[in-house]
Amino acid sequence: METIIAPSLLSADFGNLARDVEMVNRSDAGWFHLDIMDGVFVPNISYGFPVVKAMARQARKPLDAHLMIVEPDRYLAPFKEAGVEWLSVHYEACPHLHRTVQHIHDLGMKAGVALNPHTGITLLEDILCDLDYVVVMSVNPGFGGQSFIEHSLYKLSRLKEMCLRKGAKALIEIDGGVNAENAGSLAKAGADILVAGSAVFKADSPERMITEILSAAQSAGKAVR
Ligand code: DX5
Ligand code: ZN
């Protein structure tokens, strides 16, 4: 499949949010990535439903919400109501992960599970086939602008192998420290969705940077096919 670029609005200018959402609408990006942080699961608070709803009203591409919150089950339905189509919860925050995934599906959304850098992919063995996507965190969640943890590349290729071995259809999303320099190797290692926050929004031209990241991923992808 074609690689999807999902700009993370965490690095957008919240004083000019409408402008930045419009830029993503116009760009080669496939999705919007929304980082939801509660100050408990991660040491930072981002934004909540009023902002998600405002973005949803203007966005013309699917919204992918990444819940970095404890007890995500309490908020699954409100995210659906807010307009989210792809919803990921953290493995580390869900004692009854299978039930949570079922609930996301029952609400009519695609379900993903995010793994912190230290969480092994083998823990997904028994749920992988029920997932629409897996989010491999390539930074410790909580902040934009951190450096890519190199080990994530190896984790990505092992996860890709595991999906092929099990016949799982789950897409693989990589989140944290993604840029035009590493996009090629990430796509090659098996990433289907590249989340990029600071690389996009700190660029002189965010729109052009999205195209650059996408082209880097696509040319690397083609080389291995
Ligand atoms: C980290 C978030 C990421 C982050 C990506 O907690 O999940 O989505 O905002 O930002 P960059 O691309 O700046 O690492
Ligand atoms: Zn994220």
Side-chain angles (χ1 to χ4, degrees):
M1 71 166 256
E2 286 275 291
T3 311
I4 291 171
I5 309 299
S8 163
L9 275 300
L10 188 64
S11 298
D13 174 357
F14 284 82
N16 286 292
L17 197 52
R19 180 200 65 191
D20 286 355
V21 171
E22 208 39 58
M23 180 281 293
V24 177
N25 278 337
R26 261 196 330 264
S27 76
D28 288 330
W31 294 357
F32 286 82
H33 183 82
L34 311 185
D35 287 305
I36 310 299
M37 305 177 180
D38 65 355
V40 180
F41 181 71
V42 288
N44 193 12
I45 296 176
S46 57
Y47 51 84
F49 293 113
V51 176
V52 174
K53 284 180 183 161
M55 290 177 185
R57 273 197 296 277
Q58 207 191 342
R60 296 194 300 273
K61 296 174 180 179
L63 304 187
D64 162 35
H66 172 198
L67 304 191
M68 287 162 274
I69 64 175
V70 296
E71 299 184 40
D73 304 78
R74 294 169 59 192
Y75 301 101
L76 303 178
F79 276 105
K80 169 69 183 177
E81 283 151 30
V84 168
E85 289 178 45
W86 293 74
L87 190 67
S88 68
V89 293
H90 263 265
Y91 177 86
E92 303 82 6
C94 297
H96 304 289
L97 186 59
H98 188 270
R99 182 184 295 153
T100 304
V101 165
Q102 258 180 343
H103 191 183
I104 296 173
H105 282 151
D106 290 346
L107 288 163
M109 292 180 286
K110 303 285 190 193
V113 172
L115 299 178
N116 275 341
H118 74 277
T119 305
I121 56 160
T122 51
L123 293 167
L124 294 183
E125 284 260 9
D126 293 301
I127 195 150
L128 192 61
C129 293
D130 297 305
L131 301 180
D132 298 293
Y133 66 130
V134 176
V135 184
V136 174
M137 291 306 300
S138 38
V139 297
N140 285 293
F143 303 94
Q146 304 180 77
S147 320
F148 183 84
I149 298 172
E150 288 300 328
H151 178 76
S152 321
L153 201 58
Y154 171 61
K155 192 168 177 180
L156 205 58
S157 34
R158 277 172 36 248
L159 177 59
K160 181 70 191 176
E161 256 171 48
M162 187 169 146
C163 287
L164 292 171
R165 177 163 38 89
K166 296 178 90 67
K169 300 274 183 296
L171 301 179
I172 303 178
E173 177 170 298
I174 183 98
D175 186 7
V178 174
N179 53 42
E181 283 69 51
N182 58 20
S185 28
L186 296 172
K188 212 170 186 167
D192 301 294
I193 305 136
L194 306 182
V195 174
S198 50
V200 167
F201 288 98
K202 303 277 177 281
D204 291 337
S205 164
E207 196 179 337
R208 238 182 294 132
M209 180 52 73
I210 291 170
T211 308
E212 218 175 289
I213 297 173
L214 180 63
S215 320
Q218 283 174 336
S219 39
K222 278 190 197 109
V224 291
R225 261 177 224 138

